[in-house]
Amino acid sequence: MANALITGASKGLGLELAKLISQDNYKITNLSRSQCPLPEVKNIFSDLSAIDSIKESLKDLESSEPFELVVFNAGYNKAQTFEGLSLDDLNSMIDTNLSSPIALTNLLFANNLISGHTRFIFISSLSHQLGYPYAAVYAATKDGLTHFVRSLRNSYPQHYFQLVFPGPLDTDMARENSPLEKSNNRLSPTKAAQSIYKSHKKDVLEMSPGFTPTILNCFGRAFPSTMDYAMEKALKPKNFGRDR
Amino acid sequence: MTDSKLALITGANQGLGLEITKALLTNNWQVYGIDLNESPIKNKNYTHIVFDLTNTQDLNLSDVLMNKKLDLLVCNAGFGYYGDFSLQSIENLQNTIAVNFKSPLLLTKKLLNSMKAKSQIIFIGSVSGFLPAKKHEAYGATKAAILGFARSLRRELAPNIAVRVYHPGPMKTEFHQRAGFTNIKDSFQNPEDVAKHFICWLEKFDWQTYSRLFFRPLHRLLVAAPTLPTHIHRVFTRLKHG
């Protein structure tokens, strides 16, 4: 049985991915603050926004075999104008979305917890292609993560790094923060996870789950400034700019 | 002088930051510079602030600025480490993110209300922010993050404040020595020339520019086809090893 590591598998997309991965005969370790409801998953507590907590949880990981599949799924979003964003939220976003994957990847490599041909899945966001006005810090952290992974591909050609750019999902985090108000436009995390895992099996380097996100992904790459202009028009808060 | 424009620049002591500061001073700007150490510049229009930008949240500029409004904010301070990713220490990675990414964000947030109408916030990006950053992955990530931040923030703050990004290529500065990169080539640009280009660009309208002409189409290509470098790398490895 091969070993898999998932961050944030207690709910949402992480949980759905964990279900698929455990069906595929992996022994899963979940790194997160809360417990994964699946009985076969080993839980290790880690507050991914704190570097000390990540280091602490590494002590528990060191005893395990090298991982053959690593999923960086944990993320935090607070959609808020930059002016109105609290410093706590700003720090949480940077630490959870950018610092923790970089630090954890570094620790895994440095402590020989990566096998010869490890498969990585990094969950980025469609905001990388489209821009995300009124959530600039979130967009920034995901852009940073995306470029980090693309650089890693050239540094470690023996491993497989997949990047996933999901659009709005039907999860708690996304429902609070992302633009679409009608929930029927949201992709269910179950379907998203199936689509991601299917393309993962086919060694696809970069993908967006779902039909509309795939189209938007292509449009964003072809016309980046048009798309972030359109996003600004779509996302502009109703009372924005009145008091200026 | 009341009619001179006001700029604030971070990392004003060395390399590109120093050259931009000098160029702004020659153009009659009034400049505030932030850096770790005392400044080599002696000029009546220059005010230096000694501060370690890893703790930007503790920076208090109200005593220095005294309600004056800025025309220009240049977030230039940055550093990186060159070497195998797995050999880099967590502290170095954290510092890179703190100085290159977190500090410009916090500084922008602090100064948002001290910017004039029709002022500019300029982030110094890097070609490592869109070309694959082998052996300086974390540095590349922070620069890509700054670019992404500017892209979204610029829509948010328009039309009052222009948020812009300048992407320099490799330059003949001490930056590389500090990063642990020794292979400095003749093709690297002089920071004086880049600073001159930067000053000209202040008057222009495009929100991002590059220190060399061919970086722009290269960036555009990589946005459209992000997996291209990976595929090229694979083809070369296959040719090499059969």
PDB file of all heavy atoms in Angstrom, chain B residues 166-194:
ATOM      1  N   TYR B 166       7.117  46.828 -12.393  1.00  0.00           N
ATOM      2  CA  TYR B 166       8.302  46.895 -13.243  1.00  0.00           C
ATOM      3  C   TYR B 166       9.068  45.587 -13.090  1.00  0.00           C
ATOM      4  O   TYR B 166       9.408  45.182 -11.979  1.00  0.00           O
ATOM      5  CB  TYR B 166       9.182  48.086 -12.826  1.00  0.00           C
ATOM      6  CG  TYR B 166      10.321  48.324 -13.782  1.00  0.00           C
ATOM      7  CD1 TYR B 166      10.140  49.150 -14.875  1.00  0.00           C
ATOM      8  CD2 TYR B 166      11.557  47.709 -13.597  1.00  0.00           C
ATOM      9  CE1 TYR B 166      11.167  49.360 -15.778  1.00  0.00           C
ATOM     10  CE2 TYR B 166      12.583  47.910 -14.496  1.00  0.00           C
ATOM     11  CZ  TYR B 166      12.387  48.739 -15.583  1.00  0.00           C
ATOM     12  OH  TYR B 166      13.399  48.935 -16.480  1.00  0.00           O
ATOM     13  N   HIS B 167       9.327  44.922 -14.230  1.00  0.00           N
ATOM     14  CA  HIS B 167      10.044  43.640 -14.174  1.00  0.00           C
ATOM     15  C   HIS B 167      11.475  43.802 -14.649  1.00  0.00           C
ATOM     16  O   HIS B 167      11.714  43.843 -15.851  1.00  0.00           O
ATOM     17  CB  HIS B 167       9.387  42.611 -15.105  1.00  0.00           C
ATOM     18  CG  HIS B 167       7.967  42.315 -14.794  1.00  0.00           C
ATOM     19  ND1 HIS B 167       7.585  41.374 -13.885  1.00  0.00           N
ATOM     20  CD2 HIS B 167       6.815  42.826 -15.279  1.00  0.00           C
ATOM     21  CE1 HIS B 167       6.263  41.313 -13.823  1.00  0.00           C
ATOM     22  NE2 HIS B 167       5.774  42.192 -14.656  1.00  0.00           N
ATOM     23  N   PRO B 168      12.449  43.918 -13.759  1.00  0.00           N
ATOM     24  CA  PRO B 168      13.839  43.949 -14.231  1.00  0.00           C
ATOM     25  C   PRO B 168      14.354  42.536 -14.487  1.00  0.00           C
ATOM     26  O   PRO B 168      13.911  41.580 -13.855  1.00  0.00           O
ATOM     27  CB  PRO B 168      14.591  44.611 -13.079  1.00  0.00           C
ATOM     28  CG  PRO B 168      13.739  44.422 -11.886  1.00  0.00           C
ATOM     29  CD  PRO B 168      12.358  44.047 -12.316  1.00  0.00           C
ATOM     30  N   GLY B 169      15.273  42.438 -15.433  1.00  0.00           N
ATOM     31  CA  GLY B 169      15.976  41.171 -15.621  1.00  0.00           C
ATOM     32  C   GLY B 169      17.181  41.166 -14.701  1.00  0.00           C
ATOM     33  O   GLY B 169      17.307  42.026 -13.834  1.00  0.00           O
ATOM     34  N   PRO B 170      18.088  40.204 -14.874  1.00  0.00           N
ATOM     35  CA  PRO B 170      19.272  40.174 -14.027  1.00  0.00           C
ATOM     36  C   PRO B 170      20.160  41.408 -14.233  1.00  0.00           C
ATOM     37  O   PRO B 170      20.327  41.876 -15.356  1.00  0.00           O
ATOM     38  CB  PRO B 170      20.002  38.894 -14.454  1.00  0.00           C
ATOM     39  CG  PRO B 170      19.350  38.442 -15.692  1.00  0.00           C
ATOM     40  CD  PRO B 170      18.002  39.045 -15.747  1.00  0.00           C
ATOM     41  N   MET B 171      20.670  41.949 -13.144  1.00  0.00           N
ATOM     42  CA  MET B 171      21.504  43.157 -13.214  1.00  0.00           C
ATOM     43  C   MET B 171      22.836  42.915 -12.528  1.00  0.00           C
ATOM     44  O   MET B 171      22.972  41.997 -11.738  1.00  0.00           O
ATOM     45  CB  MET B 171      20.784  44.318 -12.517  1.00  0.00           C
ATOM     46  CG  MET B 171      19.653  44.894 -13.310  1.00  0.00           C
ATOM     47  SD  MET B 171      18.759  46.108 -12.356  1.00  0.00           S
ATOM     48  CE  MET B 171      17.869  45.096 -11.198  1.00  0.00           C
ATOM     49  N   LYS B 172      23.784  43.804 -12.831  1.00  0.00           N
ATOM     50  CA  LYS B 172      25.103  43.705 -12.183  1.00  0.00           C
ATOM     51  C   LYS B 172      25.037  44.382 -10.823  1.00  0.00           C
ATOM     52  O   LYS B 172      25.530  45.484 -10.639  1.00  0.00           O
ATOM     53  CB  LYS B 172      26.156  44.377 -13.057  1.00  0.00           C
ATOM     54  CG  LYS B 172      26.509  43.583 -14.298  1.00  0.00           C
ATOM     55  CD  LYS B 172      27.382  44.380 -15.227  1.00  0.00           C
ATOM     56  CE  LYS B 172      27.564  43.663 -16.534  1.00  0.00           C
ATOM     57  NZ  LYS B 172      27.786  44.591 -17.645  1.00  0.00           N
ATOM     58  N   THR B 173      24.406  43.745  -9.871  1.00  0.00           N
ATOM     59  CA  THR B 173      24.324  44.315  -8.523  1.00  0.00           C
ATOM     60  C   THR B 173      24.792  43.268  -7.517  1.00  0.00           C
ATOM     61  O   THR B 173      25.021  42.111  -7.866  1.00  0.00           O
ATOM     62  CB  THR B 173      22.874  44.704  -8.161  1.00  0.00           C
ATOM     63  OG1 THR B 173      22.057  43.533  -8.270  1.00  0.00           O
ATOM     64  CG2 THR B 173      22.334  45.766  -9.091  1.00  0.00           C
ATOM     65  N   GLU B 174      24.909  43.695  -6.270  1.00  0.00           N
ATOM     66  CA  GLU B 174      25.348  42.766  -5.220  1.00  0.00           C
ATOM     67  C   GLU B 174      24.261  41.762  -4.843  1.00  0.00           C
ATOM     68  O   GLU B 174      24.501  40.853  -4.060  1.00  0.00           O
ATOM     69  CB  GLU B 174      25.757  43.552  -3.973  1.00  0.00           C
ATOM     70  CG  GLU B 174      27.060  44.302  -4.144  1.00  0.00           C
ATOM     71  CD  GLU B 174      27.231  45.359  -3.073  1.00  0.00           C
ATOM     72  OE1 GLU B 174      26.751  45.141  -1.959  1.00  0.00           O
ATOM     73  OE2 GLU B 174      27.816  46.405  -3.375  1.00  0.00           O
ATOM     74  N   PHE B 175      23.071  41.977  -5.395  1.00  0.00           N
ATOM     75  CA  PHE B 175      21.940  41.078  -5.140  1.00  0.00           C
ATOM     76  C   PHE B 175      22.333  39.620  -5.348  1.00  0.00           C
ATOM     77  O   PHE B 175      22.022  38.754  -4.535  1.00  0.00           O
ATOM     78  CB  PHE B 175      20.804  41.476  -6.082  1.00  0.00           C
ATOM     79  CG  PHE B 175      19.600  40.599  -6.006  1.00  0.00           C
ATOM     80  CD1 PHE B 175      18.612  40.856  -5.084  1.00  0.00           C
ATOM     81  CD2 PHE B 175      19.451  39.527  -6.868  1.00  0.00           C
ATOM     82  CE1 PHE B 175      17.496  40.050  -5.009  1.00  0.00           C
ATOM     83  CE2 PHE B 175      18.345  38.726  -6.797  1.00  0.00           C
ATOM     84  CZ  PHE B 175      17.367  38.980  -5.869  1.00  0.00           C
ATOM     85  N   HIS B 176      23.041  39.352  -6.449  1.00  0.00           N
ATOM     86  CA  HIS B 176      23.374  37.967  -6.786  1.00  0.00           C
ATOM     87  C   HIS B 176      24.378  37.371  -5.813  1.00  0.00           C
ATOM     88  O   HIS B 176      24.278  36.215  -5.452  1.00  0.00           O
ATOM     89  CB  HIS B 176      23.925  37.899  -8.208  1.00  0.00           C
ATOM     90  CG  HIS B 176      22.950  38.386  -9.232  1.00  0.00           C
ATOM     91  ND1 HIS B 176      21.842  37.682  -9.580  1.00  0.00           N
ATOM     92  CD2 HIS B 176      22.906  39.537  -9.947  1.00  0.00           C
ATOM     93  CE1 HIS B 176      21.150  38.349 -10.476  1.00  0.00           C
ATOM     94  NE2 HIS B 176      21.768  39.480 -10.713  1.00  0.00           N
ATOM     95  N   GLN B 177      25.360  38.215  -5.411  1.00  0.00           N
ATOM     96  CA  GLN B 177      26.340  37.722  -4.436  1.00  0.00           C
ATOM     97  C   GLN B 177      25.652  37.318  -3.148  1.00  0.00           C
ATOM     98  O   GLN B 177      25.910  36.262  -2.586  1.00  0.00           O
ATOM     99  CB  GLN B 177      27.350  38.824  -4.120  1.00  0.00           C
ATOM    100  CG  GLN B 177      28.534  38.822  -5.054  1.00  0.00           C
ATOM    101  CD  GLN B 177      29.415  40.015  -4.804  1.00  0.00           C
ATOM    102  OE1 GLN B 177      29.228  40.746  -3.834  1.00  0.00           O
ATOM    103  NE2 GLN B 177      30.365  40.223  -5.696  1.00  0.00           N
ATOM    104  N   ARG B 178      24.738  38.193  -2.701  1.00  0.00           N
ATOM    105  CA  ARG B 178      24.030  37.903  -1.449  1.00  0.00           C
ATOM    106  C   ARG B 178      23.176  36.655  -1.596  1.00  0.00           C
ATOM    107  O   ARG B 178      22.989  35.909  -0.648  1.00  0.00           O
ATOM    108  CB  ARG B 178      23.155  39.101  -1.061  1.00  0.00           C
ATOM    109  CG  ARG B 178      23.861  40.049  -0.114  1.00  0.00           C
ATOM    110  CD  ARG B 178      23.016  41.256   0.162  1.00  0.00           C
ATOM    111  NE  ARG B 178      23.178  42.251  -0.884  1.00  0.00           N
ATOM    112  CZ  ARG B 178      22.194  42.965  -1.385  1.00  0.00           C
ATOM    113  NH1 ARG B 178      20.970  42.795  -0.964  1.00  0.00           N
ATOM    114  NH2 ARG B 178      22.420  43.859  -2.324  1.00  0.00           N
ATOM    115  N   ALA B 179      22.675  36.440  -2.816  1.00  0.00           N
ATOM    116  CA  ALA B 179      21.827  35.272  -3.032  1.00  0.00           C
ATOM    117  C   ALA B 179      22.645  33.988  -3.144  1.00  0.00           C
ATOM    118  O   ALA B 179      22.108  32.899  -3.072  1.00  0.00           O
ATOM    119  CB  ALA B 179      20.992  35.467  -4.289  1.00  0.00           C
ATOM    120  N   GLY B 180      23.961  34.129  -3.338  1.00  0.00           N
ATOM    121  CA  GLY B 180      24.799  32.956  -3.503  1.00  0.00           C
ATOM    122  C   GLY B 180      24.926  32.524  -4.949  1.00  0.00           C
ATOM    123  O   GLY B 180      25.227  31.371  -5.259  1.00  0.00           O
ATOM    124  N   PHE B 181      24.684  33.459  -5.857  1.00  0.00           N
ATOM    125  CA  PHE B 181      24.777  33.156  -7.294  1.00  0.00           C
ATOM    126  C   PHE B 181      26.040  33.814  -7.822  1.00  0.00           C
ATOM    127  O   PHE B 181      26.231  35.011  -7.698  1.00  0.00           O
ATOM    128  CB  PHE B 181      23.540  33.721  -8.003  1.00  0.00           C
ATOM    129  CG  PHE B 181      23.516  33.493  -9.491  1.00  0.00           C
ATOM    130  CD1 PHE B 181      23.175  32.264 -10.014  1.00  0.00           C
ATOM    131  CD2 PHE B 181      23.829  34.529 -10.367  1.00  0.00           C
ATOM    132  CE1 PHE B 181      23.142  32.058 -11.384  1.00  0.00           C
ATOM    133  CE2 PHE B 181      23.796  34.323 -11.735  1.00  0.00           C
ATOM    134  CZ  PHE B 181      23.448  33.083 -12.240  1.00  0.00           C
ATOM    135  N   THR B 182      26.968  33.024  -8.401  1.00  0.00           N
ATOM    136  CA  THR B 182      28.277  33.578  -8.741  1.00  0.00           C
ATOM    137  C   THR B 182      28.472  33.798 -10.231  1.00  0.00           C
ATOM    138  O   THR B 182      29.379  34.520 -10.635  1.00  0.00           O
ATOM    139  CB  THR B 182      29.388  32.633  -8.238  1.00  0.00           C
ATOM    140  OG1 THR B 182      29.022  31.299  -8.589  1.00  0.00           O
ATOM    141  CG2 THR B 182      29.543  32.752  -6.737  1.00  0.00           C
ATOM    142  N   ASN B 183      27.627  33.187 -11.042  1.00  0.00           N
ATOM    143  CA  ASN B 183      27.849  33.198 -12.486  1.00  0.00           C
ATOM    144  C   ASN B 183      27.319  34.484 -13.124  1.00  0.00           C
ATOM    145  O   ASN B 183      26.381  34.470 -13.907  1.00  0.00           O
ATOM    146  CB  ASN B 183      27.166  31.960 -13.083  1.00  0.00           C
ATOM    147  CG  ASN B 183      27.500  31.771 -14.539  1.00  0.00           C
ATOM    148  OD1 ASN B 183      28.456  32.368 -15.032  1.00  0.00           O
ATOM    149  ND2 ASN B 183      26.727  30.969 -15.222  1.00  0.00           N
ATOM    150  N   ILE B 184      27.955  35.627 -12.794  1.00  0.00           N
ATOM    151  CA  ILE B 184      27.475  36.906 -13.315  1.00  0.00           C
ATOM    152  C   ILE B 184      28.037  37.135 -14.711  1.00  0.00           C
ATOM    153  O   ILE B 184      29.242  37.058 -14.937  1.00  0.00           O
ATOM    154  CB  ILE B 184      27.860  38.047 -12.364  1.00  0.00           C
ATOM    155  CG1 ILE B 184      27.060  37.871 -11.078  1.00  0.00           C
ATOM    156  CG2 ILE B 184      27.569  39.405 -12.984  1.00  0.00           C
ATOM    157  CD1 ILE B 184      27.457  38.759  -9.965  1.00  0.00           C
ATOM    158  N   LYS B 185      27.130  37.368 -15.665  1.00  0.00           N
ATOM    159  CA  LYS B 185      27.545  37.446 -17.057  1.00  0.00           C
ATOM    160  C   LYS B 185      27.594  38.892 -17.539  1.00  0.00           C
ATOM    161  O   LYS B 185      27.029  39.782 -16.919  1.00  0.00           O
ATOM    162  CB  LYS B 185      26.559  36.670 -17.931  1.00  0.00           C
ATOM    163  CG  LYS B 185      26.566  35.185 -17.639  1.00  0.00           C
ATOM    164  CD  LYS B 185      25.578  34.452 -18.516  1.00  0.00           C
ATOM    165  CE  LYS B 185      25.499  32.995 -18.100  1.00  0.00           C
ATOM    166  NZ  LYS B 185      24.153  32.541 -17.876  1.00  0.00           N
ATOM    167  N   ASP B 186      28.251  39.102 -18.674  1.00  0.00           N
ATOM    168  CA  ASP B 186      28.340  40.437 -19.263  1.00  0.00           C
ATOM    169  C   ASP B 186      26.982  40.940 -19.729  1.00  0.00           C
ATOM    170  O   ASP B 186      26.747  42.136 -19.805  1.00  0.00           O
ATOM    171  CB  ASP B 186      29.296  40.424 -20.460  1.00  0.00           C
ATOM    172  CG  ASP B 186      30.732  40.522 -19.990  1.00  0.00           C
ATOM    173  OD1 ASP B 186      30.917  40.881 -18.807  1.00  0.00           O
ATOM    174  OD2 ASP B 186      31.643  40.245 -20.780  1.00  0.00           O
ATOM    175  N   SER B 187      26.102  39.980 -20.077  1.00  0.00           N
ATOM    176  CA  SER B 187      24.800  40.373 -20.610  1.00  0.00           C
ATOM    177  C   SER B 187      23.895  40.976 -19.543  1.00  0.00           C
ATOM    178  O   SER B 187      22.862  41.545 -19.862  1.00  0.00           O
ATOM    179  CB  SER B 187      24.117  39.167 -21.243  1.00  0.00           C
ATOM    180  OG  SER B 187      23.919  38.174 -20.261  1.00  0.00           O
ATOM    181  N   PHE B 188      24.262  40.848 -18.274  1.00  0.00           N
ATOM    182  CA  PHE B 188      23.452  41.447 -17.211  1.00  0.00           C
ATOM    183  C   PHE B 188      23.454  42.963 -17.369  1.00  0.00           C
ATOM    184  O   PHE B 188      24.462  43.561 -17.735  1.00  0.00           O
ATOM    185  CB  PHE B 188      24.001  41.066 -15.827  1.00  0.00           C
ATOM    186  CG  PHE B 188      23.706  39.650 -15.428  1.00  0.00           C
ATOM    187  CD1 PHE B 188      23.277  38.707 -16.345  1.00  0.00           C
ATOM    188  CD2 PHE B 188      23.861  39.248 -14.106  1.00  0.00           C
ATOM    189  CE1 PHE B 188      23.004  37.399 -15.972  1.00  0.00           C
ATOM    190  CE2 PHE B 188      23.597  37.945 -13.723  1.00  0.00           C
ATOM    191  CZ  PHE B 188      23.173  37.022 -14.656  1.00  0.00           C
ATOM    192  N   GLN B 189      22.325  43.579 -17.053  1.00  0.00           N
ATOM    193  CA  GLN B 189      22.206  45.021 -17.273  1.00  0.00           C
ATOM    194  C   GLN B 189      22.820  45.824 -16.130  1.00  0.00           C
ATOM    195  O   GLN B 189      22.952  45.351 -15.002  1.00  0.00           O
ATOM    196  CB  GLN B 189      20.730  45.390 -17.409  1.00  0.00           C
ATOM    197  CG  GLN B 189      20.155  44.998 -18.748  1.00  0.00           C
ATOM    198  CD  GLN B 189      18.664  45.257 -18.800  1.00  0.00           C
ATOM    199  OE1 GLN B 189      17.908  44.643 -18.077  1.00  0.00           O
ATOM    200  NE2 GLN B 189      18.256  46.171 -19.661  1.00  0.00           N
ATOM    201  N   ASN B 190      23.193  47.075 -16.473  1.00  0.00           N
ATOM    202  CA  ASN B 190      23.645  47.994 -15.437  1.00  0.00           C
ATOM    203  C   ASN B 190      22.432  48.567 -14.719  1.00  0.00           C
ATOM    204  O   ASN B 190      21.491  49.010 -15.365  1.00  0.00           O
ATOM    205  CB  ASN B 190      24.429  49.148 -16.066  1.00  0.00           C
ATOM    206  CG  ASN B 190      25.863  48.759 -16.309  1.00  0.00           C
ATOM    207  OD1 ASN B 190      26.474  48.080 -15.492  1.00  0.00           O
ATOM    208  ND2 ASN B 190      26.380  49.171 -17.446  1.00  0.00           N
ATOM    209  N   PRO B 191      22.463  48.611 -13.383  1.00  0.00           N
ATOM    210  CA  PRO B 191      21.307  49.168 -12.672  1.00  0.00           C
ATOM    211  C   PRO B 191      21.044  50.637 -13.029  1.00  0.00           C
ATOM    212  O   PRO B 191      19.899  51.077 -12.979  1.00  0.00           O
ATOM    213  CB  PRO B 191      21.679  48.990 -11.200  1.00  0.00           C
ATOM    214  CG  PRO B 191      23.113  48.670 -11.161  1.00  0.00           C
ATOM    215  CD  PRO B 191      23.453  48.041 -12.456  1.00  0.00           C
ATOM    216  N   GLU B 192      22.114  51.387 -13.408  1.00  0.00           N
ATOM    217  CA  GLU B 192      21.901  52.802 -13.787  1.00  0.00           C
ATOM    218  C   GLU B 192      20.964  52.884 -14.993  1.00  0.00           C
ATOM    219  O   GLU B 192      20.048  53.711 -15.023  1.00  0.00           O
ATOM    220  CB  GLU B 192      23.225  53.483 -14.154  1.00  0.00           C
ATOM    221  CG  GLU B 192      24.225  53.623 -13.030  1.00  0.00           C
ATOM    222  CD  GLU B 192      25.139  52.422 -12.927  1.00  0.00           C
ATOM    223  OE1 GLU B 192      24.979  51.474 -13.749  1.00  0.00           O
ATOM    224  OE2 GLU B 192      25.995  52.388 -12.022  1.00  0.00           O
ATOM    225  N   ASP B 193      21.233  52.026 -16.006  1.00  0.00           N
ATOM    226  CA  ASP B 193      20.400  52.047 -17.213  1.00  0.00           C
ATOM    227  C   ASP B 193      18.960  51.672 -16.897  1.00  0.00           C
ATOM    228  O   ASP B 193      18.020  52.272 -17.417  1.00  0.00           O
ATOM    229  CB  ASP B 193      20.950  51.064 -18.261  1.00  0.00           C
ATOM    230  CG  ASP B 193      22.384  51.400 -18.629  1.00  0.00           C
ATOM    231  OD1 ASP B 193      22.774  52.563 -18.411  1.00  0.00           O
ATOM    232  OD2 ASP B 193      23.097  50.510 -19.118  1.00  0.00           O
ATOM    233  N   VAL B 194      18.809  50.649 -16.045  1.00  0.00           N
ATOM    234  CA  VAL B 194      17.468  50.196 -15.699  1.00  0.00           C
ATOM    235  C   VAL B 194      16.725  51.301 -14.960  1.00  0.00           C
ATOM    236  O   VAL B 194      15.544  51.566 -15.227  1.00  0.00           O
ATOM    237  CB  VAL B 194      17.535  48.907 -14.852  1.00  0.00           C
ATOM    238  CG1 VAL B 194      16.148  48.461 -14.434  1.00  0.00           C
ATOM    239  CG2 VAL B 194      18.210  47.792 -15.631  1.00  0.00           C
TER     240      VAL B 194
END
